Every structure is written in structure tokens, then in C-alpha cells.
Amino acid sequence: MDQPNKPVIPTKQQQEDMRQAMLAAIIESSEDAIISKTLDGIITSWNQSAEKLFGYTESEAVGKHISLIIPQNRIQEEGVIIGKIRSGERIDHFETIRVTKSGENVYISLTVSPIKNSKGEIIGASKVVRDISRQKIADDRLQSYAERLEILNSVGMAISADLDVQGVLQKVTDATTQLTGASFGAFFHNVVNDGGESYMLYTLSGVPKEAFEKFSMPRNTEVFAPTFNGEGIVRVDDITKDPRYGKNSPHQGMPKGHLPVVSYLAVPVISKSGDVIGGLFFGHAEAAKFTREHEQLVAGVAAQAAIALDNAKLYEEIKVLNAKKDEFIGLASHELKTPITSINGYLQIIERNLGHDDRNKAFINKALQQVNKLTSLISDLLDVSKIQTGKLPFTYTTFDLVKMLVDVSEMMQHSYSSHHIELQYDHEPMMLNADQQRIEQVVINLITNAVKYSPGGNRVIIKAHMFDKTIQVSVQDFGIGIASDHLERIFSRFYRVENLASHMSGLGIGLYICQEIISRHKGKIWVKSQPGEGSVFYFELPAAGSF
Ligand code: ADP
């Protein structure tokens, strides 16, 4: 009969051998590089993963100093690590760079722990090294995507808000030069002026203008032609070796002293109508610097730039038309003034020569009223034109505002029998140093509006109030009122509210003139209004002697 197997109890030595063998197996099979070294930095062990990561075999590495794998510019890290180990500290996940046998840099994460002998004394260090190059590359890529996105967003926002051509060109040149990593970038913009002549504007990034001066404007050379003909993007790793390069005298290539261009990228900028409005050009002194991704990035910005430049052009055209319109208003009102003054004169002569009971008297009076209306419209138009050219003159005198308001309200009451025009004031006199005729013009304008825009109402209240060194005048009506979204704009030139008032005659310039007059007297004008309840227009001016 077989004896049952007796369990074999390993000796202490056997147990220790097994533990060592297991440790060795773990270390050898670890995915991480594991290295041990003495406190002097001499490598004492080097596993397979260390061989794979750094390219040195175990026999090449063991016995050498750890500086074997430390890049020159990071050598001081070793002192810091050893210092910590000596004091019993451990270093966890320290991210750094080491160098392989073939001289390549690898991104690693390092964990270093002290090795102690049986007496507990620190005799060396063990390093677990993880290759994080891939993670690092992915992180860097993410970071650069984020940066690019940020640049793209900011340039998109900046150029869509900019209506100045030079501003758009500069922002686009700067952003695309940064995005491509080019040594310099240039944006050549074809402009056709009023006379049909075409010329070029250009902006640069990465170089001062002087550095570019030797370089004549891009002509229709073989290198530039495809861009200015809108044939597509040109990207060349080494332009100096391109068959299209160097064909033009006098320089046969880049002029002497010009920045060297080897890598070349050119992207046409094409407007919505299909016209080539310019080109973006990038250069780098080293070969093969530009990639397909750069092409795409620049093409994206170029498309936005084309829209921004189209808008800027439209804006310029509108500005010119606007200036022409202002000029026309000035001329037309001036030309109208002379005949209307003569008509007025002749009508007055006829009126005086008519007998008391002449049945034509009523017609002549009506004609005179219409002529007066026309005269005041023409003089408003002339005022607008003078404001535009900065030529609205003021003649300052010191006068009593209360007296003026009494006269004006009496006169207005005479003209508008439909409304009761009331005047209230809490002080007398209220002295102003201002252009009396112009202030009167403001008051008349506000009262005329109050009557005009309160067809159902029958009261207009004028109040004058003096506080501290300011005089405030308000004109209140109980008419159609103004919706809040129009309140700011009614003081703009030609602005009229689209509502019941639209069919009431007017040019939308009265309040604009009032605002100009008041603000040039260092005052302010504003309105409070509720649709259906009426409006109160206020203006404030500094009292005489208070400035
Ligand atoms: P106009 O009266 O010739 O249109 P204004 O510049 O005097 O030009 O006024 C601009 C616009 O403001 C008017 O078209 C009208 O819509 C509005 N407005 C001005 N005054 C009043 C008012 N008292 N009540 C209601 N709306 C007013």
C-alpha cells in the first residue's frame, strides 16, 4: 500500500528563494520599466520593459550612472529626487522627459521609492517608469485643437464686427499666421477704386513692413498666378525647388536680403460673387512646415474674411451714398430757399394791396400759411445739413427764459386753437445764457409735436422749474404716446415711429435738431411716454452764470 503523500513544508531558505523568484518574475513581466539604483545613482537593476523603453540592454545599463537616460537640461532633477529618497520620501507620478539610446525624448511618469536593507537603512531607490508619450501627444493635440478653436472663434467674432478693411485684413493675417505657425504671413487685397483703377492693400504678420519692402507687390508670376486667378490653394514643401519658382527677373526668386521662404502656402480669398478679392500667403524658412490641416484652417478663415470684406465694401459704399445724400439735402434746401423767400415777399405785397373785403384775401392768407410751413421745413433741412457739416452757428445772449416761454406759448395758442396751451413756472426770471432763437426753436418744436401727436387731446402743459443751477422745461401732451422701444431712437435723424403717427406729415428731423441744440448748450433732452397716455418731453440747461 502506498503511503499517503506527506505535505512537504518548505524550509525558510526555500521560502525566501520562492519569494525572490516571484518578485523577479513580476518585475520582468511588468509593463512598466522598473529600475533600481544606489544612492549615488548607479543602476543596479534594469527590467525588460526598461530595455524596450530606453533601448539599452540590461548589461549596457547596469553599473552605469542614471544620467544615461536623463536629458542634459534636466540633470538637476536627479539631485532633487535623491535628496527626497535619502530623507525617506517617495515621489509619486512625477511627469518628466527622459532620453532613449537613439536620442529620442520620451514623456514618462515616474514613481520613486526608497529601498531599505534589513536594518531599515536606505540603500538605494527603485523607479517605476511609465511611458506617457501617447497620452502626452493626445493631450497636446487636444490642447492645440482647443487653442485653434479659440483663435478661430475670436477671429470670427472680431472680423464679423469690424467694418474697417484694414482692421479685417490685419486680424485675419495675424490669426492665420499664428494658426499655421508660419514665420510670416501676408494678406494681399485687390481693391478697385471709384475710378475703376485696381490697387493692392496688404497687411503683414510676423515681420516688420521694412522686411517686406524689397518684395514688390505680387505680380502675375507663375507662383502667384494660381492664387490670384482663384484656381485653388497652393502648398509646396520647398518652393525653391518648384519648377514655377525663380522665373522672374530681376531677382529670379526671392530678392537678396529677403526673408528666406522654403515652405510656401497660398490661399485665394474669394467673395460670394465669385471674384477673387485677394490672397493669403505664408512662408517658413524650413521645408515641409505646412500641412493639409493648415490649408483647411486658412481656407475656413479666408471664407469668413471674404464675407467680412464684402460687408466692409458695402459699408464703404453706404457711407459714400450717405455723404452724397447729405450733400444733396444741403444743396436742395439752399436752392429752395431763394424762390420761397420771393414767393413769400410777393404774397405779402399782394395781401397789403388787397381791399378789406376782397374775396381773394382768404386765399392769399392760406397761401401765406402754406409758404410759412414750407419755409420752416426748408430751414429745418438746412439746419440738418449744417449740423452734419458741423456748421450750425450759435449766437449767445443772456435772456429770461420765462419771458420767452410766455411769448412763445401766446403765439402758439394763436396758431393752435384746438388745444389749450398752459404755462406754469415756479421762479421768475430764469436767466439763461444761450442762443435765444435756437432755444425758442426747440420749444416751438416740442409744442408743435405735442399738438400734432395728440389729435384727441385738448391740453398741452409747459412747465419751467429751476433747481440749484439748472433750469428744466417740460412739454406735456395727452396724445398717442410712444412705445418704449422707440424712445431712444426718436432723437435720431429721419426717425419716425411707425404707428398712428405715420400718416401725420413730418420729416423726422425736428427732435434731432432739438437734441443737437440742447447738447451743444451743455444740456440734455429726454422723453417719458406711455402709448395711449401721452408724452412729456424734458430739457435741462445750466442757468446763466453757472458754467
Ligand atoms: P416729425 O414730427 O417731423 O416726424 P420729429 O423729429 O419731431 O419729427 O419727431 C420724430 C418722431 O417722434 C415723430 O415722427 C413721432 O413718431 C415721434 N414723436 C415726437 N413727438 C411726439 C409726441 N409728442 N407724441 C408722440 N410721438 C411723438
Side-chain angles (χ1 to χ4, degrees):
M1 288 266 285
D2 284 343
Q3 286 283 315
N5 279 343
K6 259 202 181 153
V8 184
I9 298 164
T11 62
K12 253 201 155 147
Q13 182 56 48
Q14 279 172 325
Q15 276 182 21
E16 183 55 30
D17 287 350
M18 266 173 68
R19 216 171 65 87
Q20 288 292 340
M22 199 171 75
L23 260 178
I26 291 171
I27 289 173
E28 271 318 304
S29 62
S30 165
E31 294 261 310
D32 294 330
I34 301 178
I35 303 166
S36 60
K37 61 179 182 186
T38 64
L39 288 179
D40 301 327
I42 303 300
I43 299 169
T44 49
S45 77
W46 184 263
N47 75 348
Q48 269 180 24
S49 292
E51 278 192 27
K52 239 172 52 201
L53 181 57
F54 296 111
Y56 296 100
T57 62
E58 187 183 1
S59 57
E60 280 174 320
V62 171
K64 300 269 166 50
H65 193 265
I66 193 70
S67 57
L68 183 71
I69 56 166
I70 304 179
Q72 270 306 313
N73 58 352
R74 289 182 180 258
I75 224 80
Q76 81 289 353
E77 278 178 11
E78 181 60 12
V80 179
I81 293 172
I82 292 294
K84 290 206 167 183
I85 292 298
R86 277 186 202 280
S87 61
E89 270 179 70
R90 180 185 141 106
I91 293 159
D92 262 329
H93 306 299
F94 170 57
E95 290 189 4
T96 181
I97 296 173
R98 291 293 178 257
V99 68
T100 68
K101 187 175 176 182
S102 60
E104 255 174 78
N105 282 341
V106 275
Y107 289 94
I108 58 156
S109 158
L110 201 61
T111 299
V112 193
S113 326
I115 302 176
K116 294 178 184 164
N117 64 13
S118 53
K119 286 187 237 150
E121 294 159 350
I122 297 166
I123 53 165
S126 79
K127 288 184 167 196
V128 178
V129 184
R130 180 158 294 177
D131 179 1
I132 55 163
S133 294
R134 272 202 198 166
Q135 185 191 328
K136 184 81 190 146
I137 289 167
D139 282 357
D140 286 354
R141 197 167 282 169
L142 206 65
Q143 170 87 7
S144 97
Y145 275 135
E147 278 167 17
R148 280 176 188 177
L149 205 63
E150 211 177 291
I151 298 174
L152 285 174
N153 271 343
S154 67
V155 72
M157 276 192 312
I159 64 177
S160 59
D162 199 339
L163 287 171
D164 162 55
V165 172
Q166 201 71 32
V168 170
L169 295 179
Q170 191 64 58
K171 280 174 193 152
V172 168
T173 319
D174 289 344
T176 45
T177 306
Q178 200 182 345
L179 284 169
T180 53
S183 339
F184 70 84
F187 192 157
F188 288 89
H189 179 221
N190 261 320
V191 197
V192 180
N193 67 12
D194 276 353
E197 289 169 76
S198 88
Y199 60 102
M200 248 178 203
L201 278 179
Y202 69 104
T203 47
L204 300 170
S205 190
V207 276
K209 231 170 174 143
E210 306 79 67
F212 224 73
E213 253 149 23
K214 293 201 188 84
F215 187 70
S216 52
M217 289 287 165
R219 292 157 298 163
N220 231 1
T221 64
E222 281 194 46
V223 173
F224 295 125
T227 311
F228 287 116
N229 295 339
E231 284 163 27
I233 296 175
V234 180
R235 175 164 60 91
V236 185
D237 283 347
D238 185 347
I239 191 72
T240 61
K241 298 209 176 86
D242 194 277
R244 293 168 288 191
Y245 182 82
K247 293 234 174 116
N248 292 285
S249 52
H251 304 298
Q252 316 296 135
M254 284 292 160
K256 267 211 174 66
H258 186 268
L259 295 149
V261 176
V262 180
S263 290
Y264 174 82
L265 174 64
V267 179
V269 180
I270 301 171
S271 81
K272 217 166 70 188
S273 57
D275 297 332
V276 182
I277 50 177
L280 276 156
F281 298 84
F282 305 94
H284 199 288
E286 287 166 36
K289 276 286 168 187
F290 303 127
T291 62
R292 217 181 119 55
E293 198 191 344
H294 292 141
E295 275 182 23
Q296 287 166 344
L297 284 169
V298 179
V301 179
Q304 292 187 40
I307 298 170
L309 289 171
D310 277 349
N311 287 343
K313 192 169 153 220
L314 282 176
Y315 181 65
E316 279 306 313
E317 284 168 9
I318 290 170
K319 270 206 317 209
V320 171
L321 285 176
N322 212 22
K324 284 202 173 135
K325 182 197 68 193
D326 286 344
E327 201 182 318
F328 170 77
I329 292 174
L331 271 175
S333 41
H334 199 79
E335 290 300 313
L336 288 169
K337 212 178 148 175
T338 323
I340 208 75
T341 316
S342 334
I343 296 175
N344 196 15
Y346 290 128
L347 284 173
Q348 283 184 14
I349 296 171
I350 297 172
E351 194 214 14
R352 258 183 265 133
N353 293 340
L354 287 177
H356 249 324
D357 48 354
D358 197 312
R359 58 195 179 91
N360 286 323
K361 200 169 170 85
F363 298 125
I364 295 289
N365 275 337
K366 285 234 179 302
L368 267 169
Q369 266 173 23
Q370 295 305 318
V371 165
N372 281 341
K373 258 194 178 167
L374 253 179
T375 311
S376 94
L377 275 177
I378 293 167
S379 91
D380 274 1
L381 277 174
L382 255 178
D383 283 351
V384 168
S385 159
K386 284 182 194 157
I387 293 172
Q388 286 312 109
T389 50
K391 288 180 190 148
L392 187 68
F394 290 155
T395 314
Y396 284 80
T397 52
T398 303
F399 64 94
D400 176 13
L401 177 79
V402 173
K403 188 173 174 314
M404 186 203 91
L405 289 176
V406 170
D407 292 348
V408 169
S409 49
E410 267 173 23
M411 179 189 79
M412 297 298 280
Q413 185 63 79
H414 195 68
S415 315
Y416 299 115
S417 49
S418 57
H419 289 67
H420 182 233
I421 298 171
E422 300 167 31
L423 172 64
Q424 303 169 11
Y425 48 90
D426 57 10
H427 205 277
E428 198 185 3
M430 293 188 193
M431 299 311 285
L432 271 182
N433 184 255
D435 185 321
Q436 180 166 0
Q437 231 181 330
R438 292 291 179 190
I439 302 299
E440 215 174 277
Q441 185 180 352
V442 172
V443 176
I444 293 174
N445 219 315
L446 295 181
I447 299 175
T448 312
N449 278 351
V451 173
K452 182 159 80 170
Y453 296 109
S454 62
N458 57 6
R459 282 177 83 197
V460 172
I461 306 169
I462 305 158
K463 287 183 190 159
H465 172 59
M466 183 144 160
F467 52 93
D468 207 7
K469 287 172 180 154
T470 306
I471 296 172
Q472 187 186 78
V473 178
S474 63
V475 178
Q476 182 175 15
D477 66 61
F478 302 87
I480 59 172
I482 305 161
S484 58
D485 47 336
H486 296 287
L487 289 182
E488 285 284 325
R489 285 183 287 173
I490 56 169
F491 294 96
S492 325
R493 202 160 50 121
F494 306 126
Y495 190 83
R496 306 198 72 220
V497 180
E498 293 278 333
N499 60 7
L500 295 169
S502 319
H503 62 268
M504 298 173 182
S505 70
L507 295 177
I509 50 179
L511 290 179
Y512 170 72
I513 299 170
C514 292
Q515 158 130 306
E516 173 75 12
I517 295 172
I518 297 297
S519 66
R520 285 210 22 221
H521 279 87
K522 298 193 174 65
K524 56 180 182 171
I525 182 165
W526 71 100
V527 58
K528 285 184 187 162
S529 185
Q530 285 283 342
E533 289 183 18
S535 314
V536 193
F537 281 81
Y538 298 85
F539 69 84
E540 265 178 20
L541 290 169
S546 62
F547 5 14

